[in-house]
């Protein structure tokens, strides 16, 4: 690993600590190096608060005049909730800026680099880029497509079952895996299930980060989305009852105003679709969720919902927790339902991107194959 990569990896580690809290902003980390020594380090810690570059400058143990800043994402050049970071670097006397990822946001998109260079600051691009891109895949996807990045997630036994033949499913995965899922929910903008899951399990779908040692960690709660074509979600369900605390969206074709009002009075957001559909059209749903600023989405099932999402080809990532258990049974549920394909040549293929162990469980992560995004080509 070169010194450039080492310092960028340090900045990236700092950024990762705040994944989830920066939503809907990207995660960013910054390190300031002078005479071969780190003199400042910072990250964008929470949406609306100071950016990584500003926090790194504020942390400096000595003057940053003439120093090199390593930053995982191109510095912003516009005024939003915070002033432009490019101008702060110029004012601080930074002489060299090393950048990991390009920012596809039209408000930035090269403007930060241009301002730095016009001020006489040396800029080095594309250092540790793949790693820096990976932490903001959801943000880049949303900025580029105006629709949420979609991850299909499920837990299954090694014989590919998500429940017994009686429908019993708690718990397939172990406690450490479930802690990982809680962290995932904290990092994603929304989580989606079908109405059948709501009726059978009455889930809360929150990111309750309680660890094995009994400690807890504060979480940012994802929006909860229910696919409910005929509006069958029980008004007594925990999701509806907590809609005033954490957003709940119900996607439906129901047109009965009196019925809809019962939900909106409890704080539920209704996403309405044309009654000509016998199901909620996935692409239209993603467009509407994008307009609600839901930048990333976990689909947690059940099997019919997962099946239709793959059939609609809207899944960008699949994350599967595999437990060392055999469930068996011809009638036991498998994770992905629907009609399925006729020929193997019709199968949608994904690329393996990670294998992680959680105790005896294994988590397999696959990403959409051959989907180079515009931001990678800059």
């Amino acid at each position: 690993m070169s010194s450039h990569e080492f310092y960028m990896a340090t900045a990236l580690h700092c950024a990762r600590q705040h994944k989830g809290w920066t939503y809907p902003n990207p995660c960013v980390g910054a390190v300031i190096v002078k005479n071969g020594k780190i003199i400042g380090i910072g990250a964008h810690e929470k949406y609306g608060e100071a950016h990584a570059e500003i926090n790194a400058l504020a942390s400096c143990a000595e003057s940053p005049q003439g120093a090199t800043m390593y930053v995982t994402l191109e510095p912003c050049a516009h005024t939003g909730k915070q002033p432009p970071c490019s101008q702060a670097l110029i004012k601080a006397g930074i002489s060299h800026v090393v950048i990991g990822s390009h920012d596809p946001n039209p408000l930035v998109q090269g403007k930060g680099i241009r301002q730095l260079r016009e001020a006489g600051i040396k800029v080095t691009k594309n250092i540790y880029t793949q790693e820096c891109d990976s932490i903001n895949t959801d943000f880049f996807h949303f900025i580029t497509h105006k629709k949420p990045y979609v991850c299909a997630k499920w837990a299954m036994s090694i014989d590919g079952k998500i429940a017994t033949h009686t429908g019993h499913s708690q718990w397939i995965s172990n406690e450490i895996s479930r802690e990982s899922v809680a962290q995932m929910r904290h990092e994603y903008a929304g989580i989606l299930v079908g109405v059948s899951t709501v009726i059978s399990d009455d889930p809360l779908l929150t990111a309750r980060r309680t660890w094995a040692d009994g400690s807890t960690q504060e979480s940012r709660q994802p929006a909860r989305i229910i696919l409910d074509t005929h509006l069958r979600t029980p008004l007594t369900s925990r999701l509806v009852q907590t809609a005033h605390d954490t957003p709940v969206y119900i996607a439906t074709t129901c047109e009965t105003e009196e019925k809809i009002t019962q939900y909106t009075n409890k704080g539920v957001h209704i996403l309405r679709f044309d009654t000509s559909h016998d199901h909620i059209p996935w692409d239209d749903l993603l467009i509407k969720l994008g307009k609600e600023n839901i930048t990333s989405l976990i689909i947690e099932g059940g099997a019919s919902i997962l099946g239709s999402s793959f059939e609609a080809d809207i899944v960008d990532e699949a994350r599967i927790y595999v437990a060392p258990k055999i469930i068996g049974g011809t009638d036991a549920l498998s994770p992905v339902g629907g009609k399925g394909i006729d020929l193997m040549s019709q199968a949608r293929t994904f690329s393996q991107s990670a294998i992680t162990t959680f105790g005896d469980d294994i988590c397999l992560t696959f990403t959409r194959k051959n989907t180079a995004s515009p931001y990678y080509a800059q």
Side-chain angles (χ1 to χ4, degrees), residues 110-183:
K111 296 182 181 71
I113 292 172
R114 185 164 59 251
Q115 286 186 9
L116 294 173
R117 285 177 169 162
E118 287 173 352
I121 296 175
K122 179 183 177 182
V123 176
T124 300
K125 302 187 296 181
N126 303 325
I127 300 297
Y128 219 52
T129 300
Q130 185 174 350
E131 292 81 0
C132 290
D133 282 349
S134 68
I135 195 174
N136 287 314
T137 301
D138 51 350
F139 171 77
F140 292 158
H141 179 95
F142 179 75
I143 288 294
T144 304
H145 301 289
K146 307 302 180 189
K147 293 185 288 189
Y149 179 84
V150 176
C151 178
K153 189 277 295 179
W154 66 87
M156 68 181 189
S157 60
I158 56 177
D159 58 337
K161 306 296 185 181
I162 61 171
T164 68
H165 70 93
T166 65
H168 189 257
S169 62
Q170 293 184 342
W171 295 101
I172 291 177
S173 56
N174 64 30
E175 187 175 1
I176 307 172
S177 290
R178 298 198 296 276
E179 290 174 359
S180 166
V181 172
Q183 177 66 27

Side-chain angles (χ1 to χ4, degrees), residues 209-223:
R209 295 194 292 173
T210 302
W211 310 131
D213 63 3
S215 64
T216 59
Q217 189 171 354
E218 186 182 1
S219 299
R220 186 198 60 77
Q221 299 301 333

